[in-house]
Amino acid sequence: VQLQASGGGLVQAGGSLRLSCVASGSIFSINFMSWFRQAPGKEREFVAATSWRTTYYADSVKGRFTISRDNAKNTLYLQMNSLKPEDTAVYYCAATKYIDYARSQVYDYWGQGTLVTVSS
């Protein structure tokens, strides 16, 4: 499975961005597709995940971010609204066949990351 993320950029606080992640290859075994982020000097953290049936969010983004997937296009999205400076990070899409969606260690496939910078 190959993942290609895009959509990052510079935005003012309160603004919006939509990230995309195109998946290719053998995705039939994939259970969760997710977004993680890593801010400078910090560990990679879970942002949001989606399986075929449901979605999960980190508390820090709940109500502001929406994860979705277009199965026909093999594309994962992350709509980010009401962005805050603390959302600044490199965002990674990832895929796993396991169910422990919040742990980065279980993800076998990662995109290259896309930088989101939120200015105050």
Side-chain angles (χ1 to χ4, degrees):
V1 176
Q2 294 79 44
L3 303 174
Q4 181 73 33
S6 62
L10 174 64
V11 63
Q12 288 189 332
S16 298
L17 278 176
R18 189 177 79 158
L19 306 183
S20 300
C21 175
V22 179
S24 59
S26 180
I27 64 172
F28 299 104
S29 64
I30 297 302
N31 198 346
F32 279 95
M33 293 193 72
S34 305
W35 291 95
F36 287 77
R37 67 186 181 186
Q38 188 166 17
K42 295 187 177 181
E43 293 186 354
R44 192 168 298 189
E45 65 174 359
F46 168 75
V47 174
T50 180
S51 68
W52 295 104
R53 298 182 184 87
T54 191
T55 58
Y56 301 92
Y57 296 94
D59 288 343
S60 59
V61 307
K62 203 171 293 184
R64 300 188 297 122
F65 291 9
T66 303
I67 189 171
S68 62
R69 59 199 292 178
D70 184 332
N71 295 322
K73 297 181 179 179
N74 287 342
T75 302
L76 178 73
Y77 300 101
L78 185 68
Q79 177 66 43
M80 305 185 294
N81 298 328
S82 303
L83 282 161
K84 304 175 181 180
E86 51 263 44
D87 293 319
T88 295
V90 177
Y91 284 71
Y92 298 90
C93 57
T96 181
K97 60 184 178 183
Y98 299 106
I99 62 172
D100 197 0
Y101 59 85
R103 292 180 61 231
S104 62
Q105 295 90 333
V106 308
Y107 284 80
D108 297 314
Y109 309 105
W110 291 87
Q112 83 285 7
T114 184
L115 176 62
V116 172
T117 304
V118 184
S119 62
S120 58

